[in-house]
Amino acid sequence: MSFTLPEDVDERPVTVIGAGTLGRRIALMFADRGGEVRVYDPSPGAADAARAWVGEHLPEVAASVPGGAPGKVVASEDLAAALAGSWLVVEAVPEKLELKKQVFGDLDRLADPDAILASNSSSYPTRQFTDRVRAPERVVNMHFYMPPEQPAVDLMSSGSTDRAVLDLLLRVLPEYGIFPFEARRESTGFIFNRVWAAIKREALSVVAEGVATPQDVDRMWQINMHTPAGPFRMMDQVGLDVVLDIEEHYAAERPGLPTGPRDLLRTYVDAGHLGVKTGRGFYDDYGTGS
Ligand code: NAD
């Protein structure tokens, strides 16, 4: 199967696979220039819920983008219909390798032959799930953070990605208010997540060694960096179990990382204090959790 770069990208839809936390946010960004975005999710009602969420936030986001206009969002539980005609497909299904392999095999089979197939995976390079893909040159990592509040995106080659795919995305994404940066070699954590991981790790070390409290670290961070929340408050928001999983993943790949940060996180996780979602983490002012 030979791949040619998609044309008429302004006229064709974008399809998002998975309507969860990130899928709906990705759909929101691609809907802000008046075009059509389709959201596919096999879980009953999930795509519809995402469409409603996008509808709520779209006017404000479209107004913030030069040339922006609220687009059309279509919810779908039929994969083939959701893919027909799209120039870009962004996968945002749960972080399970076998599921990603299966989804990319399906996308390669059902999407238009010139569609770019992107993955929002946080921890897997696309190289690991192209074994059922006939045209791996159209597959790319496109890793979002938390749009619309954090609209930077990492782009990374699968190792086989056509250079023209990366160049097209680097050129087109800013039109949607998305800011792409290319990881120039394979990197677990891409670009910004690695930098943020180092900050979290050292903040945890400072507390694990008894040098300062989480609250003091956060206050200093806020005062010096002029941001509304410090690293501990932000870790509570993400979930301390998720923060621990991420750090374990880095540690498995990079022997020699200090164990103190993971040990400290584990004491909270073992006690069931996971942050905002359980009502208590480094802070205990979250009510009963949500
Ligand atoms: P989520 O659990 O909130 O949503 C996943 C959605 O995928 C669910 O709605 C589920 O029904 C759906 N789904 C399951 N199987 C599917 C299939 N075969 N086809 C289509 N949809 C399917 O997950 P999330 O937090 O949105 O994460 C999705 C991806 O985004 C993961 O790869 C994750 O690493 C990445 N990511 C997450 C974050 C984050 O902060 N949550 C940030 C960046 C990247």
Side-chain angles (χ1 to χ4, degrees), residues 18 20-22 41-43 92-95 100 120-122 143-144 146:
T21 308
L22 258 286
D41 198 302
S43 170
V93 306
E95 194 72 338
K100 304 260 184 202
N120 184 51
S121 173
S122 295
H143 172 253
F144 287 80
M146 199 53 79

Side-chain angles (χ1 to χ4, degrees), residues 77-182:
E77 292 177 17
D78 177 336
L79 182 56
L83 293 171
S86 288
W87 73 272
L88 173 65
V89 183
V90 187
E91 167 274 315
V93 306
E95 194 72 338
K96 295 183 183 136
L97 189 54
E98 187 46 43
L99 176 62
K100 304 260 184 202
K101 287 184 182 187
Q102 180 220 310
V103 166
F104 270 81
D106 291 345
L107 297 182
D108 186 54
R109 206 163 35 81
L110 295 171
D112 283 15
D114 64 350
I116 294 170
L117 308 180
S119 173
N120 184 51
S121 173
S122 295
S123 57
Y124 295 115
T126 40
R127 172 179 57 76
Q128 292 187 12
F129 43 82
T130 49
D131 49 352
R132 289 168 217 168
V133 172
R134 292 162 301 171
E137 57 272 31
R138 63 170 164 162
V139 176
V140 65
N141 282 93
M142 186 193 291
H143 172 253
F144 287 80
Y145 287 81
M146 199 53 79
E149 293 87 355
Q150 298 172 359
V153 161
D154 299 293
L155 294 178
M156 190 171 83
S157 169
S158 69
S160 310
T161 309
D162 190 328
R163 179 68 239 172
V165 166
L166 291 156
D167 290 339
L168 175 66
L169 295 172
L170 286 165
R171 179 167 61 76
V172 169
L173 294 183
E175 295 172 6
Y176 295 90
I178 298 167
F179 297 86
F181 294 85
E182 182 180 348

Side-chain angles (χ1 to χ4, degrees), residues 31-35 58-60 62-63 68-72:
D32 68 13
R33 287 186 62 79
L58 189 53
E60 190 184 337
K72 180 178 168 194

